[in-house]
Amino acid sequence: MSAPLVDIAGLVIGYDAAARQVRALDSASLQVREGETLAIVGESGSGKTTLGMAAGRLLPPEAQLLDGTITVAGVDVMQADDAALRRLRREKLGFVFQNPSTALDPTMRIGRQVALALGGQPGPEAVAALLARAELGDPERVLRAFPHELSGGMAQRVVIAMAIARAPQLLIADEPTASLDASIREKVMATLVRLRAESGASLVILSHDLRLIGRHADRVAVMYGGRIVELGAVAQVLQAPVHPYTRALLAAAAGNEVPGARLEPIQGTPPMLEGRCEACAYAPRCTFSVARCNSERPEAREVAGRLVVCHRAEEAIATGAMQPQEAR
Amino acid sequence: MRLVVYLLPRVLAALVTLFGVSVLVFLSLRLLPGGYADILLGPFVTAEARAIIAQRYGLDQPLVLQYLRWVWAMLGGDFGISMVTQRPVIDELLRRAPVTLQLALIALGVALAVGYPLGVLSGTRAAKTRKGRDFGRVIGAMGASVPDFVLGSVLIFVFSVWSLWFRVGGYVPFSTDPVGNLRTMLLPGFTLSVFGVALILRTTRDAVLRVMTEGHITAAVARGDPPRVIIRRHILRNAAIPVVTVVATYFGFLLGGAVIVEVLFSVPGVGLYIFNGLLNRDYAIVQAGVLLAAVVFISINMLADVLYALIDPRVGATR
Amino acid sequence: MPKKPRTSLSVLAVMAGLGLALPAQAQGVITWGKPAEITGFDVHVAGTVASWEMYQMVYETLLITDDELSLQAGLAESWEEESPTRFIFTLREGAAFSNGRAVDAQDVIGSIERIQNPEIASYWAHQLGEIVSMEALDDRRIVIELARPHATFLPALAHITAAIIPVQEYRDGSFDPAREMLGSGPFMVEQHNQDESWTLTRNPHYGRDGYPRADRMEVAIIPDESARIAALRDGRIDFTTFENPDAPQMLGTAGNIANHPIQTTNYYRFDVNALSEDSAFHDRRVRQAMNLALDRDAINMLVFNGTSAVDYPVPAAFGTDACHDLDTYALPRDERLERARALLEEAGQPSPQVELMASSANQVLGRIAQVAQQSLAEAGFQVTIASVPTAEYLQRVFTDGDFDFSASWLAGYTDPSMVIQWWNPNFAVWNLAFQEEIPELSDALADVRSTPASPERDQALRDICAMIDEGANLLALVSKVDYVAYRSDQIEVRLADRTGSANTWQHIAEFAPAD
Amino acid sequence: MEPDVIALEDITVTYRSGFLGGTAFDALRGVSLRVKAGETVGLVGESGSGKTTLGRVCLGLLPPTQGQMRFGGAPFGKLRQRRGQLSVVLQHPEWALNPRLRCGTSVQEPLVLTGMPSSERRERVAEILGQVGLDPSFAARLPGQLSGGQRQRIAIARALVTNPRFIVFDEAVSALDVSVQAQVLNLIRDLQKRHGFGALFISHDLAATRYVSHRIAVMLRGEIVEDGPSARFYGTPEHPYSRALLGAA
Amino acid sequence: MSGFSKAAGRLLRADALTLFGLITLVTLLFLGIFGPWLPLGDPSRIAAGPRLGAPSAQFLFGTDELGRDFMPRVVQGIRSTFLLSAIAVTITAVIGSLLGMAAGYLGRFADQAIARGADILFAFPALVAGLLVAAVMGPGQGSAITVISIATLPLFIRVVRSVTLGIAGRGFVTAAEVAGASTLRIMLVHLLPNVMGAVMVQLTYALSIGMIIESALSFLGLGVQPPDASLGSLLRQGSSYLTIAPWMVLSSGAVLSLAIMSVNLVGDAVRDALEPLKGRPLT
């Protein structure tokens, strides 16, 4: 197998805030294979959006690259010059953002926006065809519409259409369905996944919705404190989680419980790192932490067919109390 | 249809506003101490002479009646006559309107030509560097800090000592002598434009910066569009929305209120006419002038609303 | 210049439009930088200098005054004083209105009747005295009979407000003096753009052969003094006047600009409100104290840089010294201040609070007020200054009497007994709102009105001056100088050294472009 | 029998928009809903379905165009007459609290309005903060210093401080992260057991709603299309729309 | 997030321009407030020196046409122009905030009435309105304050109204309404503190406009009455003597411009601090 499409190695990124620097990524490493659907899950502040945006060097100016590299389709993203970067974005990358209503220029008709995304001088048929691929009914009408005249789901389909316009090798979707109504999330997600499959591109979904990605992703990366704490096949990770955080997350989410059962919330709050974390970032909230967890930084290890960042991974598997709940 | 639904309430509101302006100007004029009799007769005013003059111009009638007569006459196209010249005020206003319009256009032209590009430049730069930000701030703060009468006084000083090419006063219509016209109009136009440059620069800069925080700009960057293209396609149009509003307000002010500059540079425009009318207690002039200025101001703002709706399809759309 | 055929008027109109753009030296054109626009067209009604100056270009009066302020032939080539109450005027041969019709006796009678018609609201009727009859002896001769001797009758006829208008046209409705001008003067109005410019062309029927020397006069209205200075410097205007005594200095040393200060019988004055119970000046002693405490020399030195002079109720320009010996003028300032303080003490108001009002249109008045404020403070007065719009100033002083004292200036006209009538509120009825009537003074003024210039009249004036000073109701401050400036390289002018009725441009017919 | 805390009969709300109210739009059409004391009724539906409008009607913030509304068996009356009986917890933790007021001030505001003396108020605030799992020292903090979950707890404390008879939770947990969401959901459940208030839990998230609710009403375009015990929503609900909401279509 | 403490932090880390504005502003404020007690000389003493004397060691800004030392006059001018405008704008801010909140929060009729009122004031040519007020009320401080208020009131109403519209729908307002809080309580306790930021920003801009208006009125002779000076009346005084005594216009014009500029610079900084606008770079 050739080199991975995306290779993120030891990425450290901080944000300049008022009087200090907040660390969003604390040496994150991840590889995305060609043609796979990878989900990155984590709560807000876990660093998943930073990781996704870093793939296109789309971070805001106050973000600072402190260490590490990120290579996409052979291009060193962080070191590339502006022209090379733009070529990469134009030809290899496609982004789908969380809020479709802001991702479209409000003053421009959809047809023109999509045409611009296609590049060159595409005829209306080409534009309509692209919209049809994104399962937009009545593309003729959509072409003439302004963004505000579309529902959220339709707008997101337009955004998806624009993202795949130039047949990118990598699609990055940041919470693509979070702002949509529950009843259509599934369908929009299905479209996205189908288009990926048709084009053979890789798809990275950033999300906090465990059930959703459980149905659509091949692999899943769980992020906490700016690191990927568990990475493996979706079925493995969600049905037999190893990292205590992954387990707690699954136990806390409403939807998997039986009627009358009680959810088990994770006590405490997520960390706000100001420098390299020299311990396990999850330790203060972890019900399994021991002294070592608070003093030694765990490194990624392969445990039970996946990568886990936890000192006590093996013990955790063995502990009956840590039996995973039924996942759907 | 969208425009009609959007504009109709505005037209109604504008009529209410105009009614308010007319009452306000009418009442405040009647509250003014001193009247035309004083101006005409100078110190030689006696109670009898006053009464005769008041009667001559219908000023002895009850206020409400005077007001209604004025409004009624206006609806018939009669804006009253000037007490000083005994000529219809509307003729004089129409004669002067082109002068003020030209002055306003010069000022607006300069303000836009300088302020808008600088604003865009400063806005796009500001996202990148502190220097870019400060550049816009300095120009903006300086332009907004020199009142027109200060600048005007200094310019008059400069051009009365060294005549150079410009002239202070001695207006000639553009149609009769274009060069002579510009020699007298450019200086006051420039004086008026300085505030506009600052205003438009700041508004544009802020609008550009605000647009640049929006998601669709990030989306455009993510698609690999070069900055030039993003500015042209996505920023200019979106940033124009607040600029249109401010330009309209500025233009409205110029058309209705360039009084000091017209007085200073002896430009025979509407502002000077109203100013002198006020000093002379020539009620019809001030009433018609102020109302006309308000009509122009409101119309221009409404025009801006239309433009606004054309630029931004979201405006006026029902949900 | 030959008579212009009517068709050429349109050409002229186009030229007029171009006028200001063209250099002022163009054939026969002179340009006047006028500081203010007229306040009305009616020559018999308007009471402002800005209007009078323009009327003088278009209208004529029966008589005029010379440099010595003595009467000269005007529209009337001669006049006879048959008795102190009976006068015969003979109109000049060839005098004609600009429409070509000769001025006749009926025009004179009709004009004076119009002035006397209360409906017209002319203030000038008082100056003319009580006329019992007017009669045309023929087309060119008029007899006017007065009820009683009235010394100011003839001088009053020399003032522009007594202009002769074309009565025939006025009566048949083809001429409306309230909205246009038609006279027998050197120029006629061709175009008027309010607040902007006037174009006057020569009256082809003007009675004096070869005059006016200029074919056309452009008038640019330039209220701002700096702008007028600029216009004079760059040659766009040929002549103008300034209020500001420093104007000559500001015009600089440019050799082609000539300065010509004209002495006038006009002077700056304070009107003091003797009638309002609300005013500290209700008490005559407070008025007297104020009069004594005033430092007229300081006003002359500080406001006028010494170019003016202390003036008196009977203006110094008339050459009489009627008031010079009064304590107000003759005592050293220290003594005056002491007297003033004593008077205030006596009045029980050691530190009266008074407001000095002046029109904001004239900055010179503001400066006078500030100097007065400071000099009055030395006697204990607490003066606040209110500079208000002209209309408000006029209403508050002359109609409402709602003020303490106010600064303005007074036209001294051409005869001491004319200006002095201002102290008789029965005569100067516009002063009724604030002027205290002193019967003896009024009687003396009535007498002097019918006394021709003579040593007896000088003595009477001296007595009157003492009474005026005693009443301290209307104070003379310093004389008003007209600062005329013109482009000696562009224009030839004739200017009087002394004028009386704001007739600075009385010789306008003799102005001509320089070769 | 104790009357329902809140009873809506055939409520219709019509919005008028456009020039002179030319266009009419029914946000609610003939909605009937009852909430008993100690009962939580869940209200689910997507945006624009009218659930927030219904919440506002229940709170007395929006007078219905048509229909009957009773509170504790009596006509609803004015909000001031209901001081201390009603309260609300809303979405957007960052907007739930006045950023310029200390948390304690925010929490005790409903008590101030009912006229409780200040000494008692302070005790009560400390007590209620304890019940929502916060240290009494939080009273002195500004909302800016709090995390989203903490702010939502303060908002709940404010809602509970007067022991109201009825509380509306409008998207109260939607903006919270999964781990925090569970904390707040449990808190709501526990507090209801303890205080016995009636509650309307509005959310677009059926999973969270069924967890805290006894009964669930599903809204679609201004109408309630399905209404039943929440257990039914663990199985397969009847209405196709309800199934779509579960994301299991 | 607590906007104020963050904003204050950002303001403290001010850049050179803001610092310049702040220092100028503080200096002018100091001169304005304490000017009468500083040993600068009597601003109204006539004949303190020669007429129209050029700047010298004794008379830093020269003397005016009545021989007054121009420097203390400029200081007095700062006091009149700056303090008068500040008072006027502060009063206006209070009234405008209340009206704006009422319009934004109460909506319907109140909104319509207030918005129309603001429109009327806005559509009235500002300087003509100023002249009318000055003429009706009589020239002086009272009318200057009124004119500034009339001109800046619509600005406050508009801004506060739109900010209020944004806040009125927020949770804490709804919660207070449900708890039975009165309208007045909601406006004062919940809305007012949250519109203060916008009011502060508007206040600085209104202050600069107020200074321009005050000096324009005085320039036309209708503001502060002589012998008291405002920067505008000094300009009027000086403009008569531009050719021979340019220092009068130059010194008072420079001080006026500097004052307005410093207010603008500080206003920009306050605005940037309260509402940081950070567009993303386009690369």
Side-chain angles (χ1 to χ4, degrees), chain C residues 20 41 62 173 235 243 311 339 366 440 467 494:
Chain C
L20 288 179
F41 275 89
L62 287 175
E243 292 277 345
D311 216 336
R339 291 263 298 274
E440 315 87 81
M467 279 188 268
R494 178 172 162 206

Side-chain angles (χ1 to χ4, degrees), chain A residues 109-135:
Chain A
R109 290 186 196 278
I110 299 296
R112 181 162 154 69
Q113 298 198 45
V114 176
L116 289 172
L118 272 166
Q121 304 281 330
E125 308 77 34
V127 174
L130 180 62
L131 292 179
R133 274 181 72 197
E135 293 170 39

Side-chain angles (χ1 to χ4, degrees), chain B residues 39-117:
Chain B
I39 292 293
L40 174 66
L41 302 170
F44 312 106
V45 63
T46 58
E48 300 82 49
R50 229 167 207 289
I52 288 168
I53 288 180
Q55 196 194 0
R56 199 179 288 166
Y57 298 103
L59 301 175
D60 51 347
Q61 291 164 336
L63 278 188
V64 179
L65 202 66
Q66 285 187 51
Y67 176 78
L68 290 178
R69 282 190 173 197
W70 171 52
V71 172
W72 182 247
M74 238 174 358
L75 292 176
D78 172 12
F79 286 78
I81 57 160
S82 155
M83 292 190 270
V84 172
T85 62
Q86 303 287 312
R87 289 193 288 235
V89 167
I90 190 68
D91 293 356
E92 191 69 18
L93 280 172
L94 290 179
R95 188 177 75 78
R96 288 157 180 267
V99 183
T100 296
L101 182 67
Q102 189 196 355
L103 200 60
L105 284 176
I106 292 174
L108 183 68
V110 174
L112 271 177
V114 180
Y116 193 62

Side-chain angles (χ1 to χ4, degrees), chain B residues 33-34 36 38-41 43-46 50 52 56 86-87 95-96 160 167-171 177 268 273 276, chain C residues 21 39 45-48 118-119 123 178-179 192-196 230 233 236 391 394-395 399 413 422 429-430:
Chain B
Y36 176 64
D38 298 299
I39 292 293
L40 174 66
L41 302 170
F44 312 106
V45 63
T46 58
R50 229 167 207 289
I52 288 168
R56 199 179 288 166
Q86 303 287 312
R87 289 193 288 235
R95 188 177 75 78
R96 288 157 180 267
S160 62
R167 272 178 174 172
V168 179
Y171 168 80
D177 176 10
Y273 191 48
N276 283 333
Chain C
T39 60
V45 178
T48 52
E119 286 299 301
Y123 62 98
R179 55 192 307 163
H192 175 215
N193 295 327
Q194 198 184 354
D195 302 325
E196 181 185 345
R233 278 166 171 269
R236 248 176 320 123
L394 289 168
Q395 167 161 9
T399 301
Y413 303 110
W422 250 245
V429 286
W430 42 85

